[in-house]
Amino acid sequence: MIKANVYIKLKKGVLDSQGKAVQELVNGSEIDHVENVRVGKLIELTFANRENINEQVEKLCQELLVNYEMEDYSYTIEECGDE
Amino acid sequence: MKCAAIIFPGSSHDLYEMVKECLNLDVDLVWYKDTNLDHYDLLLLSGGFSYGDYLRPGALAARTEILAQICEKAAQGTPILAIGNGFQILLEAGLLPGAMLINEDINFICQNKNLIVRNNQTFFTTAYDQNEVISIPIAHGEGCYYCDDQTLAQLEKNNQIVFTYQDNPNGSVGNIAGIVNEQGNILGMMPHPERALETILGSEDGLRLFQSMITNWREKHVTNA
């Protein structure tokens, strides 16, 4: 099995309300010096084999997983055992 | 005027019930899998939480098969009113420009808000005065409208900004509460005019939005008949 890990985050400059709220709480804790927090998401796509995997991941990102108006993405590919 | 209120899993029925009960419109509740919209004159996309807001609000509904038909109707000039989640669906489908973010202060806000009518020349707003202040409830957690500077300039240039908030409650770019597409036949807005049709519910300022639509449709179609 092979897995694509798609990381999605808000574009630079786009308001991240979740990140801001988390940062407020973080900086109210013992570790009070975190400069910035951005919250994103991870989507794992598991495929049976490697064939055309980059193309397929790109296509899924473009058509569904990512909203290009506000989000950026990157992804990594890794071998994985049966989960 | 035959109307379709399109319902996805998780959509609310408010819009359908209110236009039927308060305005006596001839409206069908259309399940998203019933994909024949040919004979409808007006499409309504209601609020709610289609597909539980999974992935992004409206993202999954915007990829269902019925969207091809909605796009076709839109291109033919059929008026489409999209409220709340309906607006989010059309943003995700690319029928309206921009995107929707989580409210600036992360709260779900459910309150009457003052809106300013910025364009009373649209199909949906002719019964209002230009710059009139109206009270319409909002009920959303992800209603912070976002677009880049270039898109905002386009919206302003083309007079596509129809409603703005008087006191921006959610961080929306340009205080935007509702916009139309370039052709002017699609209105998307986060506030809920269908919940402001009777004074007993706090406001009847939403009534004239529907009256505008009815009057303008009749003027165009009935006089020619």
Side-chain angles (χ1 to χ4, degrees):
Chain A
M1 304 285 264
I2 187 139
K3 195 168 75 176
N5 299 306
V6 182
Y7 303 94
I8 300 167
K9 59 180 186 176
L10 289 168
K11 282 182 183 168
K12 209 178 159 196
V14 174
L15 175 72
D16 180 2
S17 303
Q18 286 188 91
K20 220 172 74 184
V22 173
Q23 189 180 0
E24 264 179 44
L25 282 162
V26 164
N27 285 340
S29 76
E30 265 173 63
I31 303 161
D32 59 0
H33 50 271
V34 176
E35 303 256 337
N36 194 20
V37 178
R38 302 285 280 174
V39 175
K41 47 191 151 185
L42 162 66
I43 299 175
E44 296 180 342
L45 306 166
T46 306
F47 295 81
N49 59 60
R50 216 173 242 285
E51 204 181 330
N52 295 330
I53 190 165
N54 287 293
E55 271 170 48
Q56 294 181 71
V57 172
E58 294 275 358
K59 191 169 183 329
L60 283 170
C61 286
Q62 280 168 23
E63 292 178 1
L64 173 65
L65 302 179
V66 181
N67 182 325
Y68 285 61
E69 297 273 348
M70 58 180 180
E71 293 170 333
D72 279 333
Y73 73 100
S74 61
Y75 63 93
T76 57
I77 307 276
E78 65 177 84
E79 295 284 346
C80 64
D82 294 336
E83 284 177 26
Chain B
M1 182 167 71
K2 185 90 183 151
C3 311
I6 299 161
I7 299 294
F8 296 93
S11 298
S12 99
H13 288 201
D14 286 18
L15 187 53
Y16 165 75
E17 296 292 345
M18 294 308 278
V19 298
K20 195 175 161 196
E21 297 303 321
C22 296
L23 295 148
N24 291 316
L25 284 181
D26 181 10
V27 56
D28 290 340
L29 200 58
V30 177
W31 183 237
Y32 75 115
K33 290 200 167 168
D34 302 334
T35 47
N36 194 348
L37 299 174
D38 285 354
H39 59 290
Y40 291 107
D41 305 308
L42 176 84
L43 306 184
L44 302 167
L45 285 165
S46 53
F49 297 88
S50 60
Y51 290 88
D53 274 357
Y54 296 164
L55 193 63
R56 299 177 302 274
L60 300 183
R63 271 87 182 168
T64 56
E65 276 183 31
I66 199 169
L67 254 291
Q69 282 217 56
I70 294 175
C71 290
E72 200 179 310
K73 297 290 278 185
Q76 289 163 3
T78 303
I80 304 177
L81 172 64
I83 295 171
N85 188 232
F87 183 17
Q88 294 166 332
I89 293 168
L90 295 193
L91 289 171
E92 279 286 343
L95 284 173
L96 290 167
M100 211 58 83
L101 298 168
I102 296 173
N103 292 347
E104 191 171 21
D105 67 358
I106 67 166
N107 287 317
F108 187 100
I109 310 169
C110 188
Q111 277 169 5
N112 276 35
K113 288 289 169 197
N114 283 345
L115 307 183
I116 304 166
V117 180
R118 293 289 181 191
N119 181 352
N120 77 337
Q121 298 299 306
T122 76
F123 178 83
F124 308 89
T125 51
T126 43
Y128 296 109
D129 293 328
Q130 182 70 7
N131 296 322
E132 183 179 345
V133 177
I134 58 173
S135 173
I136 306 280
I138 61 169
H140 58 242
E142 300 195 37
C144 174
Y145 179 80
Y146 171 77
C147 66
D148 59 25
D149 294 344
Q150 199 186 342
T151 307
L152 182 63
Q154 279 293 113
L155 289 173
E156 278 166 357
K157 183 170 154 256
N158 299 333
N159 230 352
Q160 286 173 255
I161 301 169
V162 179
F163 298 111
T164 54
Y165 297 106
Q166 198 171 42
D167 298 304
N168 192 343
N170 52 29
S172 290
V173 163
N175 303 323
I176 285 173
I179 54 172
V180 284
N181 61 336
E182 234 180 300
Q183 294 72 27
N185 62 312
I186 307 175
L187 171 66
M189 61 190 295
M190 284 314 289
H192 288 272
E194 81 282 13
R195 298 184 193 169
L197 299 182
E198 294 174 313
T199 42
I200 197 170
L201 295 177
S203 168
E204 55 174 21
D205 286 349
L207 202 52
R208 281 178 289 155
L209 187 140
F210 295 96
Q211 287 167 344
S212 300
M213 291 162 58
I214 296 166
T215 306
N216 289 319
W217 191 86
R218 282 188 185 144
E219 266 177 26
K220 198 172 166 196
H221 295 89
V222 180
T223 46
N224 293 343

